[in-house]
Amino acid sequence: MERRDFLEWMVATGGITALGRLGSSDLLAMGRAAHDAPDGAAAPVLSTHAAALVTAAAERIIPKTETPGATQAGVTRFAEVMLAGWYPAADRARFVAGLPTLDARSRARDGKPFLTAGVATQDAVLRQLDDEVTALRRTDGAAASAHWFGMLKFLTVWGYCTSEVGMRQTLQSWPQPMRYDGNVPVTR
């Protein structure tokens, strides 16, 4: 399955409903609200380095191809808004505490921190973390959802699928379906 097909499937089947008991329409509304939040609306959660790690990892999870990637979708800002405004303090702390794992594993592979490592190293580190979360999911779904990398991946996909560029250029679902908005500007 191609990445874009997978993203469309996740939205169509409600596959992004991992945040509590919220339905996909609630997640969509929350995601859009997070993207629309004014700059400075969220208290800073990520240091400059942590934000750069989130940006680099998210861009490897959903890279720019013929359609926008995670960076163009504003995934890092989205994650910051969601972590600051919606995630409990313990989840925020676990997420932030896990980010240095990217540097540690990258250095163990090729002696470079994650941000300066090559794409192959970054992908290998992310695949290894994803395999760990997948193994956890087989035995304890709650532990997998609470894993910092599971949170990063979820925030990346959620942020991408609810961004205007993700919805407009990848999912082709802009303006949002089954919603009347008589004030939508005409685009060409």
Side-chain angles (χ1 to χ4, degrees), residues 94-154:
R94 184 173 45 258
F95 181 84
V96 172
L99 289 171
T101 305
L102 294 171
D103 281 332
R105 293 199 182 183
S106 180
R107 281 190 180 99
R109 281 189 89 73
D110 76 359
K112 295 179 184 173
F114 190 80
L115 295 176
T116 59
V119 170
T121 297
Q122 290 177 341
D123 287 349
V125 167
L126 295 175
R127 248 189 317 293
Q128 182 183 36
L129 287 163
D130 193 44
D131 289 346
E132 290 172 17
V133 171
T134 300
L136 263 178
R137 190 163 282 115
R138 288 186 189 118
T139 59
D140 184 359
S145 294
H147 190 285
W148 74 270
F149 183 75
M151 292 168 63
L152 172 63
K153 195 168 175 187
F154 176 75

Side-chain angles (χ1 to χ4, degrees), residues 40-97:
V45 172
L46 302 173
S47 67
T48 303
H49 183 68
L53 286 170
V54 169
T55 300
E59 189 61 28
R60 294 309 313 141
I61 293 168
I62 304 178
K64 180 180 179 183
T65 57
E66 66 280 351
T67 58
T71 302
Q72 291 79 24
V75 165
T76 302
R77 183 177 180 282
F78 173 85
E80 182 96 44
V81 169
M82 293 310 298
L83 288 166
W86 292 92
Y87 278 74
D91 289 344
R92 277 193 304 273
R94 184 173 45 258
F95 181 84
V96 172

